[in-house]
Amino acid sequence: MSVSNLSVSQQKAVTDLFRRIAPVADELGEVFARQGHELAVVGGSVRDVFLGRIGNDLDLTTDARPERVLEMVSGWADSVWTIGIDFGTVGVRKGDWILEITTYRSESYDPRSRKPEVDYGDTLEADLERRDFAINAMAVRLPGHEFVDPYGGLADLGAKVLRTPGPPERSFDDDPLRMLRAARFAAQLGFAVDPAVVAAMTAMADRIEIVSAERIRDELDKLICGAFPRAGLALLADTGLAEHVLPELPKLRLEIDEHHRHKDVYEHTLIVLEQAIAQEAAGPDRVLRWAALLHDIGKPKTRRFEEGGRVSFHHHEVVGAQLTKKRLTELRFPKDVTADVSRLVELHLRFHGYGTGEWTDSAVRRYVRDAGHLLERLHKLTRADCTTRNRRKAQALSRTYDELEIRIARLAEQEELAKIRPELDGNEIQGVLGVGPGPVVGRAYKFLLDMRLDRGLLGKDAAREALLEWARTEGVLPA
């Protein structure tokens, strides 16, 4: 299909693309053509043009082998890197443009291996056939700008559907991660997934076990940071994929019988996630979103049936924090992300623990200190966690939290809550007690910190007197 075969709006999209990327793409296309090789813009770079999104990264494909690509870009590119050369990819930078040039290829997984086997191909059409979805199997040849769409990707974009170029079973057998990518694209683009693709995902879900934790993590992270994460998560749960990559999610579908009625935790979780997203101010907050998704994963393990048909989940936040840390660690998330998400899960009920009465200054100080740098996220998670249909109850909870935030702001002005420390530091404690470094200093520090949280600023003199009284009571000093 040539550009002339496209609709007016589609022709404009392609023309706009090449107005932006020229002369970089055409220059490189000429370099390859003079050496007798093909080159085409491909995949997501073409898809995004028709979605109205053009960045500074371009994916290209060629019949030239990686070593030959290196020879041709040498002297043309500003810089070159070969980190992906084992998989046929050479990266280059030219001005502000980042280009990844990949040799025509196909790849498949040995059932016993986590690494794909790469075989190079000879034609653009064959390369497009091995791609994950038809919307990513479009290309524009360089330097002639011929549009290539053998598998109907443009029609799928119009219909907002995800379909594989060939049989989905073959596609997923070649690379099982594509099943997760289906859920990820559903979450990012809001597209429906072709029924044949869903059926293949369901039948082949256990094949995902062969994929490395890092690749699974990256897809899940992109999914949850997408514009429509509910769609992607529901697809994972409905096809059984979640049981292999995020088993805590389907476990939230607790059985509810006529004698033990309680909130649908799975549905509640998805609503909390959406309500947390609605509070984001500047793009996706991965820590907040993961905390919203995992905040109740301790409930299945702590569910107890009480008298009168009640159901309790005592300490589910503590159990949930432990499960969160375990899951994110197994998915190889960075330690800081794991720690922050786990801490939010642990703290998400803290607000309710104080009841609906007046908060003391001590309670406010402890709330802020325990949240630390996560305070703003904790505010959002706590508000998002209210999914009751009882309008009066929801409004009462919102007002109570409004009052708490006002109290925090008022105390923060007076006391710099985020930086609360005892009024005496370690050296001063040693001087007052006449002791050297050791466990006694740690105990004294904790005493002074608790006093600071409970009573606020007293002044150094009062802190010394209180410390001496504590030391005599504890037997550190003679009575």
Side-chain angles (χ1 to χ4, degrees), residues 200-219:
M201 292 169 65
T202 304
M204 302 175 67
D206 61 345
R207 281 282 285 145
I208 199 68
E209 298 280 354
I210 202 66
V211 181
S212 70
E214 290 82 0
R215 297 183 78 206
I216 291 173
R217 173 203 62 209
D218 290 346
E219 292 300 326

Side-chain angles (χ1 to χ4, degrees), residues 301-314:
K301 201 168 185 177
T302 58
R303 182 170 63 161
R304 298 290 183 273
F305 296 120
E306 310 288 356
E307 292 183 5
R310 290 191 314 107
V311 179
S312 67
F313 304 96
H314 294 309

